[in-house]
Amino acid sequence: MPRAVWNDLVIAESDDTVVVEGNHYFPRATLREDVLRDSDTHTYCPWKGTASYLTLEHAGVSSTDAVWFYPEPLPDAAMVRDRVAFWKDVTVID
């Protein structure tokens, strides 16, 4: 089962991931909310739309903008609606 690991914590785990451009998108409901902090960062992808980011924080350690998601994905990216992906120091294990 794919899982996302950060700072020795499993922060998401699901058999229901969607792989887009090499990134596993996990259902948002599988993400540990207790390690998340809001971020004001946004980026734009021409085919997916505007991405929003979340910062991970736990036990005095943080990873700024390590989680991203598309709150309102464009039609061609509907498969990532209500899903999150990871980068930076988050490892996704298949």
Side-chain angles (χ1 to χ4, degrees):
M1 174 181 313
R3 64 187 182 275
V5 180
W6 171 73
N7 202 26
D8 295 325
L9 298 172
V10 175
I11 58 171
E13 187 172 26
S14 178
D15 279 332
D16 178 27
T17 64
V18 174
V19 179
V20 177
E21 297 178 329
N23 296 299
H24 280 270
Y25 282 79
F26 288 74
R28 173 65 189 253
T30 68
L31 181 59
R32 282 184 57 168
E33 295 290 329
D34 63 313
V35 297
L36 301 178
R37 302 296 173 261
D38 289 332
S39 171
D40 292 329
T41 302
H42 300 281
T43 58
Y44 183 76
C45 171
W47 75 274
K48 288 182 286 206
T50 300
S52 294
Y53 291 78
L54 297 165
T55 292
L56 296 169
E57 189 174 284
H58 178 64
V61 178
S62 65
S63 183
T64 303
D65 299 339
V67 182
W68 80 86
F69 62 99
Y70 293 88
E72 298 293 331
L74 296 174
D76 287 344
M79 75 290 282
V80 300
R81 182 177 298 281
D82 299 323
R83 294 179 177 272
V84 297
F86 308 95
W87 69 314
K88 295 195 174 182
D89 50 355
V90 177
T91 302
V92 174
I93 302 166
D94 287 331

